[in-house]
Amino acid sequence: MKNFLRELSRDTPGMIGFVIVIIVLALSVFASVIAPADPLEIDVYNRLASPSWQHWLGTDQLGRDIFSRVLYGGRVALKVALISISVALLCGLLLGMIAGFGPSWLDRILVVCFDTMRSFPTVMFALAIMTLTGPSLNTVIAVIIITSIPVYARVVRTQTLAVRNLDFILAERAMGASTLRILRDHILPNISAPLLILASMDVPAVVGMEAGLSFLGLGVGPPTASWGSILNDGYSYLRNSPWPIIAGGIPLILVTLGFTFLGESMRDILDPKLRGKGALNQ
Amino acid sequence: MLEYVIRRSGLALVILLLAVTLLFAMIHMMPGDPASILLGPKASPELKAALNQRMGLDQPLLVQLARFYADLAQGDLGTDVFSNRPVLEMVLEQLPYTIVLVLAAIGGASLVGIPLGCYSAIRHNSLLDRLVGVMSVAFIAIPSFVIALYLLLLLSVKWRWFPAMGAGDSGDIVDQARHLVLPALALGLGWVGYIARLVRTSMLEVMEENHIRTARAFGLSERTIIVHYALRIAVLPTVTILGLGIGTMLSGALFAEIVFSRPGIGKLLHEGVLTRNYPVVMGSVLMTTAFFVLCTLISDVINAMLDPRVRDGESS
């Protein structure tokens, strides 16, 4: 960990990303302590107010304090990112290992399934599910999990295939080690670094997806604050006040930049082989 | 090559068939039947039964699946339950707007990104090169709808340089182009840095190759070497990535269409979701998925044509 931080401190964008991530995490976790007002408290006399000492980022169309809503919105974004990425990572890990280490017929079937899932443009697929189930935060999480699993599984499969025929694995097999033991003790440690890098670089995409669906009115329901719903409210009253849009967009930009810079830096430190490859190459 | 194209097309067809089946399964696996979704919770059982019968949902599942495939094979994506119009007709009406938007975004991003990447490679480790490096990571990460909202706020509402809504008058190309600028910019901005980075990396590799050294030995000017020999090869990986990036672009186009109230398949889909008009939603998703699969196929085939190692690798 010390080595990692030392390496990180030498990379300026990575360090900037790390600081942003820490600040955003702290502000979201301690939102209830830091927020100057109740994010749901309506003040009709102060609708669409500009920033002031009382309301640092102004107020929305119902007079709610935007700064407080932005802080609480961070909780929603990080909750969605944490749950969906963890579950997708676990499922992807399992399916990818089965595909990479199992019989070739099973591998072919699973690869076609992964490719089929990836053939849907993500947001379009999310909207199709939303039509049938109705909008909710749980549906957003489920959609992100479903669409992320094939991405992780593909990476795990490729990594497993690369490792499975190495000499030390063949030696383990010759000594009678079980498949489970090989997967757990030898394959998993060898594929965990690229997987963790991919997961950290996925955070901006997941946060953006949640915000996007909430912006479309299909994510977090009112009156709960989320960055996407703040932008949605701001869009409806764009000609009256620019502040909800400005305030709702800045945390999204900061979080996406922070996690992307940190992820890129982590990739360079943990896996120099991947250096120079962008997020879309994964 | 022909063998590769046939094999790759077969795989694309299988993926598309599975995607269609998955969509069909989703309709039947999700809680609540489509008739209740469309008519709302207060609809009488008779009304629901009538709608189920009209949509053929009262038939056994296998019969429905067979009819679903048969209808699709004939280009029938169903009927809009509100206007009674064929969904295919509605989708085809909107699709050109989305294709124009995506092409404008790709074209604009390539026009700026390729020279930028080329310049970065030539002057590598310069200030501009480092700036492109940071920009490529930064812009691709920011959600396109946030960029769209900021562009709308600044260039349309505040400075009034560009129109805020619609696609322009149908007969006026200049007006249509003015309406296209902001959505295309919102969609393409993220790709500028990314394309620049790809071209830069590729250019740096190509510039080290033997044929470039030979061209230098022949005394060709640096400009000729870069434009005629290096860039032509260096730009190839960009073609592949752009083909694969169509999916991301289609999702981004949906947001751009909504933010700028522009017609297109994304807007049609969003309206379908809000009114829970599921035939329209499924039809739009199917068409965009087919478009995406086709773009990936074309990009793979182009890649295989340009680089024989790809098709040989797949054969072996």
Side-chain angles (χ1 to χ4, degrees):
Chain A
M1 187 67 192
K2 263 184 185 174
N3 282 346
F4 174 77
L5 286 175
R6 197 182 310 124
E7 289 273 339
L8 190 67
S9 64
R10 289 188 197 134
D11 180 39
T12 315
M15 201 59 205
I16 293 172
F18 181 67
V19 172
I20 292 174
V21 168
I22 293 293
I23 291 174
V24 170
L25 282 176
L27 288 176
S28 303
V29 171
F30 299 108
S32 52
V33 183
I34 302 164
D38 180 349
L40 306 181
E41 193 184 319
I42 295 170
D43 179 4
V44 282
Y45 295 108
N46 249 325
R47 295 168 70 242
L48 299 167
S50 296
S52 62
W53 283 113
Q54 195 188 352
H55 301 289
W56 294 359
L57 292 174
T59 59
D60 66 5
Q61 79 281 6
L62 295 174
R64 294 172 298 195
D65 182 59
I66 296 177
F67 180 62
S68 306
R69 290 182 69 74
V70 165
L71 291 180
Y72 277 89
R75 282 187 171 184
V76 174
L78 295 174
K79 177 183 153 191
V80 172
L82 190 73
I83 297 174
S84 49
I85 291 178
S86 311
V87 177
L89 194 71
L90 278 175
C91 297
L93 188 70
L94 195 71
L95 289 172
M97 277 182 160
I98 292 172
F101 211 78
S104 60
W105 61 267
L106 187 60
D107 177 39
R108 280 187 196 149
I109 291 174
L110 284 171
V111 167
V112 171
C113 291
F114 300 154
D115 287 350
T116 305
M117 281 309 299
R118 285 167 53 157
S119 68
F120 292 105
T122 318
V123 176
M124 311 285 184
F125 184 67
L127 293 186
I129 293 184
M130 296 281 179
T131 316
L132 297 164
T133 59
S136 77
L137 192 62
N138 289 339
T139 314
V140 172
I141 293 174
V143 166
I144 296 172
I145 291 172
I146 295 169
T147 52
S148 304
I149 287 174
V151 181
Y152 291 116
R154 265 285 203 174
V155 174
V156 173
R157 174 189 170 270
T158 312
Q159 297 289 329
T160 309
L161 282 175
V163 177
R164 68 178 279 182
N165 287 329
L166 292 180
D167 287 344
F168 74 98
I169 301 283
L170 296 176
E172 274 284 322
R173 267 186 172 169
M175 284 192 287
S178 67
T179 305
L180 189 69
R181 184 190 153 97
I182 294 173
L183 286 173
R184 191 190 60 212
D185 293 351
H186 299 288
I187 306 258
L188 189 60
N190 274 291
I191 62 171
S192 54
L195 211 55
L196 282 177
I197 296 161
L198 183 60
S200 76
M201 294 185 84
D202 238 11
V203 175
V206 170
V207 169
M209 173 98 164
E210 183 278 314
L213 290 172
S214 296
F215 170 71
L216 296 177
L218 302 169
V220 178
T224 310
S226 99
W227 295 336
S229 62
I230 294 170
L231 285 170
N232 187 5
D233 292 341
Y235 179 64
S236 308
Y237 293 88
L238 186 68
R239 291 178 195 278
N240 305 84
S241 169
W243 294 107
I245 293 243
I246 295 172
I250 286 172
L252 259 175
I253 292 175
L254 284 177
V255 164
T256 48
L257 287 185
F259 274 101
T260 306
F261 284 143
L262 181 64
E264 288 258 324
S265 196
M266 267 173 75
R267 185 193 57 205
D268 290 351
I269 295 167
L270 297 175
D271 196 346
K273 280 181 291 183
L274 293 172
R275 194 167 298 187
K277 290 192 179 179
L280 283 169
N281 284 13
Q282 301 294 320
Chain B
M1 183 64 207
L2 185 69
E3 192 196 327
Y4 174 81
V5 174
I6 293 170
R7 205 175 47 241
R8 188 61 192 78
S9 305
L11 182 67
L13 208 65
V14 169
I15 288 176
L16 198 60
L17 203 68
L18 282 173
V20 167
T21 314
L22 186 68
L23 276 180
F24 177 83
M26 262 168 54
I27 299 169
H28 293 274
M29 277 160 54
M30 295 288 173
D33 63 309
S36 308
I37 291 168
L38 280 163
L39 297 169
K42 288 181 183 168
S44 66
E46 293 79 21
L47 208 59
K48 282 184 198 171
L51 189 65
N52 272 331
Q53 195 184 8
R54 204 179 106 195
M55 294 195 294
L57 297 171
D58 55 341
Q59 302 286 320
L61 206 61
L62 281 176
V63 176
Q64 285 186 49
L65 183 64
R67 268 184 60 180
F68 189 65
Y69 284 142
D71 288 347
L72 279 180
Q74 292 169 44
D76 182 1
L77 295 181
T79 311
D80 174 8
V81 280
F82 297 118
S83 68
N84 261 332
R85 286 181 66 199
V87 172
L88 182 69
E89 191 184 301
M90 294 170 77
V91 170
L92 289 180
E93 208 173 85
Q94 302 295 320
L95 194 63
Y97 289 103
T98 305
I99 293 176
V100 166
L101 175 59
V102 169
L103 289 181
I106 291 177
S110 305
L111 272 178
V112 183
I114 293 173
L116 206 61
C118 192
Y119 186 84
S120 283
I122 299 164
R123 301 259 182 278
H124 94 113
N125 284 335
S126 66
L127 185 68
L128 182 84
D129 180 28
R130 282 178 202 166
L131 205 68
V132 168
V134 175
M135 202 174 80
S136 65
V137 181
F139 278 1
I140 197 85
I142 300 171
S144 66
F145 74 96
V146 177
I147 298 176
L149 284 169
Y150 279 6
L151 287 175
L152 178 73
L153 188 66
L154 205 66
L155 300 183
S156 192
V157 175
K158 184 142 176 76
W159 293 337
R160 297 179 188 278
W161 287 359
F162 294 99
M165 292 167 79
D169 289 336
S170 53
D172 188 348
I173 291 188
V174 177
D175 191 43
Q176 285 180 15
R178 286 190 69 232
H179 279 83
L180 188 61
V181 173
L182 291 188
L185 190 61
L187 195 56
L189 199 62
W191 286 83
V192 172
Y194 191 65
I195 291 173
R197 186 159 140 159
L198 278 174
V199 172
R200 176 193 176 273
T201 313
S202 194
M203 271 291 276
L204 285 174
E205 277 172 23
V206 173
M207 292 299 274
E208 294 295 314
E209 282 181 14
N210 288 339
H211 72 282
I212 299 291
R213 233 173 287 160
T214 313
R216 280 209 180 103
F218 271 98
L220 294 180
S221 71
E222 200 64 21
R223 186 191 166 87
T224 312
I225 292 171
I226 290 165
V227 177
H228 290 279
Y229 296 94
L231 190 60
R232 279 171 73 167
I233 299 172
V235 91
L236 298 182
T238 317
V239 177
T240 317
I241 294 294
L242 283 178
L244 297 174
I246 292 284
T248 321
M249 284 247 181
L250 284 172
S251 298
L254 178 135
F255 288 107
E257 284 165 7
I258 289 160
V259 169
F260 295 102
S261 296
R262 194 185 151 77
I265 207 153
K267 193 148 189 347
L268 177 76
L269 179 58
H270 185 230
E271 280 163 8
V273 175
L274 293 181
T275 51
R276 311 202 73 175
N277 191 346
Y278 99 96
V280 170
V281 174
M282 293 304 158
S284 312
V285 173
L286 269 179
M287 276 304 264
T288 44
T289 306
F291 182 63
F292 180 38
V293 170
L294 183 71
C295 288
T296 316
L297 172 68
I298 292 171
S299 132
D300 277 358
V301 170
I302 292 176
N303 204 16
M305 277 165 67
L306 300 171
D307 190 348
R309 286 171 300 183
V310 174
R311 54 177 189 263
D312 293 346
E314 289 226 357
S315 307
S316 60

